[in-house]
């Protein structure tokens, strides 16, 4: 008699139930009902992954099923993408090949699965040197079929939802990578809900206490917000009913991560984040042609009820964002004295806002859409970035961030043609965006008919005319103020080409000089010359000779004809100096290697280890109580960073395999320097009160204090020595009790 394992039965039931849920969700969509191919893909993947478990202990097939559900429900893709999601790990984790997938499921699904396999294991592999290359691979694949990246984002979302089963150092790596790459990528693709969830999940793992604190405060103030929403929207509903529109009004509460981000950047407490609530008016247009006019009609009608903010009308209806986002944003003054943002959008616009480019496939499974213009523009940007010669992984990621995720500005040509540029673009960037020849010969620009230099930063609405001269050449200094990938790539390429020409000329000059002096072109002779001119390499010397910044003469001859004995003596000193170290010196430098760090364990930061083995990062100056992590640098030193420090975010994304989870184990014996920022209303004796609170009440040592007043407002910075975050909190709380002190917060420097 065969005994059936009840765990296996329950696993089988769980898998079958999950698959049925996926099918039911798919059948509710407007896509063609291709149930057969989805069932075939599920059976194939289920068989391929049979017996394999995830780290959480559940059957592996539950992961592809979950990703397929996200692809179907949250991104809105059809059967091709659902099948690809179900099969996305088959080629990487089993013996099946892409050819097998193609034979069974056809070339389209095979192509997407191949793209997903190439970029598996997150954007970055375990080796730091391969990271930028992997990212390029991801973007190249994406430019073939954008569904690859949409499924990859779904894959990352499910990984983030199940991150709890991983080790802490892995959690930091994945959360950091998510915040640095995937959340902005989801944003750029217009996947607004997914972007928000990725940010919140990353934040929850990196700063669990702050996350919980904000969550509790949001829950506590929910009833109050509901009341504000109901009172604010009641007259709007009456007005919209009069217009005869079919509509719905929904409240949008700022995400926990966005709230925390604002608290950090603006140095304000939760209670002073006033834009927690926004209102969305989503309507069905009377007819498709009137969609745009309806948005403005709604704006005009609600502006009669509440006063609009003159500087806060955002028209994304006439000029959609690069990710396809369309809406009209207006900020109105509510009866409670607070500004409330209202977002006006049609049901179609709302669809695109929530699902972005994925909405293009919503009704047409084979791909393609009515408006591929923005999509094509985005893919062109990616290709330009890939052409940018960035050797270093972090530089490359910064370029990606700079261009792909930048906010946009709208700039006009002299003829009134509109061009979209990344924020912070300069006149030089604009010139290169129009044409390489225009960029390489530009001498200046006229912005709104006023003459400006090439480094002038453009703003939305500027009309820009580029001025050129045939005699103008690309200058090395241009690399400093070019911000777009295209401009930087073109400038680097032109300078490189010029340098090669100079080096060619320089080589002819050098060989001519050496042959006249009857000296052979040995490396040692050439090294003498470039070192004599304080240059670092033969290439630098050749360039300098070619562009005539160096002219060889008598002094070079004398240097080359120096007596051989002098060289011999130098050589002897060098060889003895390097080979026979003083024994004491050997003891100093050849210390015993430190015990090997195990990145899988949580590193305890004690008084002894902090003083002996670890370094506190200068960029963020962490102190006990801060959420921190460790980074093993190239010299095997461990540097402690705050988890939200911009440098740490880059390190998590680019060198995730060197990240160590850390925790404090100190007991108020070590002192750390912190900076406290204070602001308030100036009054007599205020400085004396502040110093009394710090020095006498709290017995804290002040290192430096700088306060200045302007028009009755004072602000200043105080450098103090503290033991931990608790000390900082106590100092801030006590200073806020001082009359006329309105804001106290810890800052980086």
């Amino acid at each position: 008699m065969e005994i059936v394992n009840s765990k296996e039965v329950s696993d089988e039931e769980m898998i079958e139930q999950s698959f049925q849920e996926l099918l039911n969700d798919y059948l509710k969509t407007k896509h063609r009902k291709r149930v057969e191919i989805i069932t075939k893909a599920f059976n194939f993947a289920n068989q391929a992954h049979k017996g394999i478990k995830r780290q959480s202990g559940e059957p592996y097939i539950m992961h592809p099923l979950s990703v397929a559900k996200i692809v179907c429900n949250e991104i809105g893709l059809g059967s091709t993408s659902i099948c690809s999601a179900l099969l996305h790990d088959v080629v990487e984790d089993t013996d099946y090949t892409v050819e097998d997938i193609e034979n069974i499921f056809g070339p389209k699904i095979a192509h997407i699965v191949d793209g997903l396999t190439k970029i598996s294991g997150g954007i970055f592999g375990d080796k730091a040197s391969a990271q930028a290359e992997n990212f390029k691979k991801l973007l190249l694949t994406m430019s073939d079929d954008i569904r690859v990246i949409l499924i990859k984002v779904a894959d990352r979302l499910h990984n983030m939802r199940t991150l709890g089963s991983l080790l802490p150092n892995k959690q930091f790596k994945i959360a950091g990578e998510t915040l640095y790459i995937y959340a902005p990528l989801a944003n750029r693709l217009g996947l607004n809900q997914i972007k928000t969830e990725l940010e919140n999940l990353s934040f929850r793992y990196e700063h669990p206490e702050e996350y919980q604190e904000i969550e509790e405060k949001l829950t506590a103030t929910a009833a109050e917000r509901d009341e504000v929403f109901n009172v604010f929207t009641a007259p709007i509903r009456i007005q919209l009913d009069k217009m005869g529109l079919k509509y719905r009004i929904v409240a949008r509460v700022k995400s926990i991560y966005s709230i925390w981000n604002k608290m950090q950047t603006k140095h304000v407490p939760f209670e002073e984040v006033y834009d927690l609530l926004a209102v969305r008016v989503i309507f069905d247009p009377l007819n498709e042609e009137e969609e745009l006019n309806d948005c403005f009609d709604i704006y005009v009608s609600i502006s009669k009820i509440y006063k609009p903010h003159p500087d806060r009308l955002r028209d994304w209806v006439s000029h959609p964002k690069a990710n396809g986002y369309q809406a009209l944003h207006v900020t109105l003054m509510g009866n409670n004295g607070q500004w409330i943002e209202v977002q006006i959008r049609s049901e179609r616009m709302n669809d695109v806002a929530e699902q972005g480019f994925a909405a293009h496939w919503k009704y047409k499974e084979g791909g393609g859409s009515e408006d591929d213009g923005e999509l094509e523009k985005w893919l062109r940007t990616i290709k330009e970035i890939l052409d940018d010669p960035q050797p270093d992984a972090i530089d490359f990621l910064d370029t990606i961030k700079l261009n792909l995720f930048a906010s946009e500005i709208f700039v006009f040509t002299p003829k009134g043609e509109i061009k979209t540029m990344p924020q912070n673009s300069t006149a030089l960037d604009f010139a290169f965006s129009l044409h390489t020849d225009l960029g390489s010969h530009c001498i200046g620009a006229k912005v709104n008919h006023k003459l400006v230099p090439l480094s002038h930063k453009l703003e939305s609405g500027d009309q820009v005319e580029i001025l050129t001269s045939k005699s103008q050449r690309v200058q090395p200094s241009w690399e400093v103020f070019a911000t777009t990938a295209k401009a930087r790539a073109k400038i680097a390429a032109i300078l490189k080409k010029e340098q090669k020409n100079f080096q060619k000329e320089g080589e002819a000059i050098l060989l001519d000089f050496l042959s006249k002096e009857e000296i052979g072109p040995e490396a040692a002779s050439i090294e003498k010359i470039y070192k004599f001119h304080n240059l670092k390499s033969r290439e630098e010397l050749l360039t300098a000779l070619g562009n005539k910044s160096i002219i060889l003469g008598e002094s070079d001859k004398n240097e080359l004809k120096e007596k051989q004995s002098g060289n011999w003596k130098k050589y002897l000193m060098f060889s003895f100096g390097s080979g026979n170290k003083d024994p004491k010196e050997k003891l100093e430098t050849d210390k015993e290697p430190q015990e090997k760090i195990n990145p899988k364990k949580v590193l305890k930061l004690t008084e002894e280890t902090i003083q002996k083995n670890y370094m506190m990062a200068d960029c963020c100056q962490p102190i006990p109580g801060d959420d921190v992590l460790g980074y093993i640098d190239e010299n095997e030193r461990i540097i402690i960073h705050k988890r939200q420090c911009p440098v740490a975010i880059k390190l998590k994304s680019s060198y995730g395999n060197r990240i160590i989870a850390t925790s404090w184990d100190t007991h108020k014996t070590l002192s750390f320097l912190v900076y406290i920022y204070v602001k308030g209303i100036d009054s007599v004796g205020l400085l004396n009160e502040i110093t009394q609170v710090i020095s006498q009440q709290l017995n804290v040592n002040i290192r430096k204090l700088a306060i200045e007043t302007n028009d009755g407002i004072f602000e200043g910075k105080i450098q103090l020595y503290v033991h931990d975050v608790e000390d900082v909190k106590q100092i801030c709380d006590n200073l806020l009790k001082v009359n006329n002190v309105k804001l106290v917060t810890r800052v980086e420097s």
Side-chain angles (χ1 to χ4, degrees):
M1 181 180 141
E2 190 183 347
I3 297 169
V4 180
N5 186 319
S6 62
K7 178 77 174 81
E8 280 179 22
V9 172
S10 62
D11 278 353
E12 291 297 322
E13 285 171 357
M14 178 172 68
I15 293 165
E16 190 54 42
Q17 186 188 341
S18 186
F19 176 60
Q20 282 308 319
E21 285 168 9
L22 171 65
L23 278 187
N24 294 339
D25 293 341
Y26 172 64
L27 289 169
K28 287 175 197 165
T29 68
K30 294 177 184 175
H31 289 287
R32 288 181 290 155
K33 305 298 178 268
R34 300 178 64 203
V35 174
E36 194 182 317
I37 194 163
I38 294 175
T39 308
K40 189 176 171 185
F42 163 69
N43 289 332
F44 185 83
N46 194 17
Q47 196 54 45
H49 294 302
K50 205 163 191 66
I52 303 166
K53 302 275 186 189
R54 294 190 85 204
Q55 272 180 304
S56 58
E58 68 177 14
Y60 192 88
I61 188 66
M62 294 303 290
H63 168 64
L65 273 168
S66 303
V67 175
K69 280 184 191 171
I70 294 168
V71 162
C72 176
N73 300 332
E74 298 176 57
I75 305 183
L77 299 176
S79 61
T80 302
S81 304
I82 292 168
C83 290
S84 303
L86 287 167
L87 299 164
H88 80 272
D89 279 334
V90 166
V91 174
E92 188 195 357
D93 294 344
T94 73
D95 294 333
Y96 288 105
T97 64
V98 175
E99 287 71 29
D100 295 331
I101 303 289
E102 186 168 354
N103 292 334
I104 303 166
F105 297 99
K108 197 175 288 179
I109 290 173
H111 179 71
I112 296 173
V113 171
D114 185 34
L116 288 160
T117 305
K118 283 176 185 166
I119 54 171
S120 60
I123 280 181
F124 307 121
D126 288 334
K127 291 174 185 162
S129 59
Q131 287 162 2
E133 222 30 67
N134 285 348
F135 196 61
K136 283 188 182 183
K137 216 186 284 177
L138 175 138
L139 293 171
L140 278 167
T141 314
M142 180 173 72
S143 60
D144 258 358
D145 190 329
I146 202 151
R147 284 174 289 192
V148 171
I149 195 61
L150 291 167
I151 298 166
K152 191 66 201 169
V153 168
D155 179 40
R156 174 49 58 113
L157 178 59
H158 184 247
N159 284 338
M160 286 301 297
R161 285 173 178 172
T162 56
L163 199 57
S165 57
L166 296 183
L167 292 163
N169 67 315
K170 286 278 188 197
Q171 288 178 354
F172 296 152
K173 173 197 180 308
I174 293 169
E177 190 179 282
T178 300
L179 211 49
Y180 190 61
I181 299 293
Y182 280 97
L185 197 53
N187 183 42
R188 186 66 179 196
L189 287 159
L191 302 170
N192 191 49
Q193 278 183 321
I194 289 178
K195 176 212 79 157
T196 303
E197 189 177 347
L198 287 173
E199 286 176 342
N200 278 346
L201 286 167
S202 298
F203 177 52
R204 197 176 88 195
Y205 281 102
E206 297 227 293
H207 303 283
E209 287 167 14
E210 284 98 325
Y211 182 93
Q212 195 180 344
E213 194 180 321
I214 295 171
E215 192 176 37
E216 284 167 2
K217 285 182 177 177
L218 274 177
T219 308
T221 53
E224 188 186 320
R225 268 196 311 281
D226 288 345
E227 178 64 20
V228 170
F229 174 75
N230 293 331
V231 170
F232 180 79
T233 56
I236 294 176
R237 289 176 198 278
I238 295 167
Q239 195 70 30
L240 295 179
D241 288 339
K242 280 182 193 172
M243 292 171 71
L245 282 170
K246 186 182 172 189
Y247 67 89
R248 56 196 174 98
I249 299 179
V250 293
R252 183 214 47 105
V253 179
K254 204 174 185 69
S255 76
I256 292 177
Y257 173 75
S258 297
I259 294 167
W260 178 78
N261 218 14
K262 188 154 195 175
M263 287 163 65
Q264 298 299 306
T265 51
K266 303 278 184 192
H267 302 301
V268 293
F270 175 88
E271 291 69 27
E272 287 180 33
V273 179
Y274 294 117
D275 59 346
L276 289 180
L277 178 72
V279 171
R280 272 187 198 141
V281 177
I282 303 164
F283 67 94
D284 274 329
L286 299 169
N287 59 61
E288 279 183 37
E289 288 74 33
E290 292 300 309
E291 187 183 46
L292 194 143
N293 291 339
D294 287 347
C295 286
F296 284 98
D297 288 346
I298 292 169
Y299 162 61
V300 170
S301 67
I302 62 176
S303 296
K304 290 173 185 170
I305 307 167
Y306 300 111
K307 287 281 173 280
H309 192 296
D311 299 326
R312 288 202 206 158
L313 176 67
R314 296 284 178 269
D315 176 12
W316 300 112
V317 174
S318 313
H319 304 298
K321 290 186 180 183
N323 61 17
Y325 178 84
Q326 275 184 294
L328 193 62
H329 290 198
V330 55
T331 304
L332 304 171
M333 173 60 81
N335 294 332
N336 60 353
Q338 283 188 12
W339 292 106
I340 293 177
E341 185 181 69
V342 178
Q343 301 166 356
I344 303 163
R345 48 170 88 153
S346 68
E347 287 288 356
R348 182 194 64 80
M349 291 173 187
N350 190 57
D351 219 17
V352 173
E354 297 307 326
Q355 298 180 326
F357 284 136
H360 296 325
W361 280 280
K362 194 159 187 182
Y363 309 106
K364 192 173 178 184
E365 170 59 17
S369 71
E370 289 172 28
D371 178 24
D372 281 335
E374 292 297 340
L375 182 60
E376 282 306 310
K377 198 187 294 178
W378 197 67
L379 296 176
R380 264 205 310 279
T381 307
I382 291 163
K383 284 174 181 138
E384 281 171 15
I385 287 165
L386 295 172
D387 291 338
D388 191 9
Q390 293 283 359
D392 180 74
I394 284 186
D395 278 359
F396 179 75
L397 289 176
D398 280 346
T399 310
I400 294 286
K401 293 276 285 181
L402 199 68
N403 293 269
L404 223 48
F405 312 139
S407 302
E408 288 117 354
I409 57 170
F410 299 108
V411 183
F412 294 92
T413 66
K415 289 180 180 173
E417 193 185 336
I418 196 164
K419 297 277 180 188
T420 307
M421 298 288 293
Q423 206 166 30
N424 298 324
S425 290
T426 60
L428 182 67
D429 292 319
F430 182 69
F432 274 102
S433 77
L434 296 174
H435 199 280
T436 305
D437 276 354
L438 205 62
S440 51
H441 291 106
C442 65
I443 50 172
K446 279 186 177 178
V447 173
N448 306 326
H449 310 293
K450 287 182 182 171
L451 199 62
V452 297
L454 294 176
S455 56
H456 177 82
K457 206 171 272 186
L458 301 176
E459 289 178 10
S460 232
D462 281 347
Q463 190 168 24
V464 187
E465 181 188 350
I466 301 298
L467 308 174
T468 61
S469 163
K470 283 183 180 175
S471 61
Q472 176 67 298
R473 280 176 43 247
V474 172
Q475 306 297 317
S477 60
W478 287 8
E479 288 187 290
V480 177
F481 49 79
T483 65
T484 62
K486 183 174 184 178
R488 282 168 59 173
K490 296 293 179 193
I491 291 164
I494 293 166
L495 288 172
K496 205 171 181 182
K497 193 177 176 185
E498 279 190 359
Q499 192 178 22
K500 276 188 176 174
N501 292 338
F502 284 141
Q503 285 181 0
K504 210 172 177 184
E505 284 179 43
E507 189 144 27
I509 294 166
L510 180 64
L511 291 174
D512 185 49
F513 173 78
L514 291 173
S515 78
K516 276 182 184 171
E517 299 306 316
E518 296 178 353
I519 296 167
E522 286 86 11
S525 303
I526 296 169
E527 188 180 350
K528 263 190 176 182
I529 297 176
Y530 72 67
K531 283 189 172 171
F532 177 66
H533 289 283
N534 294 321
L535 299 172
K536 289 175 185 168
S537 65
R538 178 178 186 275
E539 285 68 31
E540 276 191 27
L541 174 67
L542 297 180
T543 306
L545 291 172
N547 65 22
K548 307 290 187 288
S549 59
I550 287 178
I551 294 168
L552 298 174
E554 286 300 319
S555 52
D556 296 284
K557 291 178 195 176
N558 296 336
E559 181 68 18
L560 284 169
K561 289 178 179 177
E562 192 181 299
K563 287 178 185 176
Q564 205 67 25
S565 59
N567 291 347
W568 180 242
K569 194 188 292 178
K570 276 185 199 170
Y571 173 75
L572 283 174
M573 282 168 68
F574 172 76
S575 65
F576 290 143
S578 63
N580 300 305
K581 287 183 181 172
D582 186 277
K584 286 178 192 167
E585 191 185 331
K586 187 169 174 61
L587 286 172
E588 282 293 314
T589 54
D590 299 348
K591 285 182 183 173
E592 285 296 310
Q594 278 185 25
E595 187 186 340
K596 190 136 179 77
I597 297 296
N598 181 357
K600 292 184 179 179
K601 287 186 178 172
V602 176
L603 195 70
K604 287 269 188 245
L605 301 175
T606 63
E607 282 86 348
E608 190 184 352
T609 56
I610 288 169
Q611 287 175 309
K612 281 187 179 177
N613 304 337
Y614 313 137
M615 292 171 67
M616 297 295 140
D618 289 334
C619 49
C620 54
Q621 297 167 327
I623 65 171
D626 283 330
D627 291 333
V628 290
L629 50 77
Y631 167 68
I632 307 170
D633 73 1
E634 302 77 26
N635 303 316
E636 298 300 313
R637 293 174 306 183
I638 295 172
I639 299 167
I640 309 301
H641 285 271
K642 282 191 199 170
R643 286 182 212 158
Q644 80 268 26
C645 158
V647 175
I649 290 169
K650 286 186 193 178
L651 294 172
K652 281 180 280 187
S653 315
S654 298
Y655 303 107
N657 51 317
R658 296 190 195 168
I659 298 296
I660 312 166
T662 51
S663 68
W664 297 101
D665 189 14
T666 55
H667 306 93
K668 292 192 181 283
T669 54
L670 296 179
S671 289
F672 296 84
L673 190 65
V674 294
Y675 294 80
I676 305 288
Y677 172 80
V678 286
K679 189 175 183 179
I681 297 156
D682 190 25
S683 60
V684 177
L686 186 73
L687 183 60
N688 184 35
E689 278 188 75
I690 288 172
T691 51
Q692 273 196 332
V693 166
I694 296 168
S695 300
Q696 290 178 21
Q697 282 183 32
L698 303 169
N699 198 23
V700 173
N701 185 12
I702 299 176
R703 184 189 177 203
K704 189 178 178 184
L705 189 149
I707 287 183
E708 57 181 61
T709 61
N710 194 8
D711 294 335
I713 300 292
F714 85 89
E715 61 179 335
K717 268 187 200 162
I718 310 164
Q719 286 184 32
L720 308 163
Y721 285 104
V722 297
H723 296 120
D724 52 28
V725 168
E726 281 176 26
D727 286 1
V728 175
K729 191 175 184 314
Q730 194 186 352
I731 290 163
C732 292
D733 290 348
N734 284 28
L735 284 175
L736 275 170
K737 291 173 188 169
V738 173
N739 263 346
N740 293 329
V741 172
K742 301 297 179 190
L743 175 67
V744 184
T745 185
R746 177 181 162 198
V747 290
E748 299 296 348
S749 62

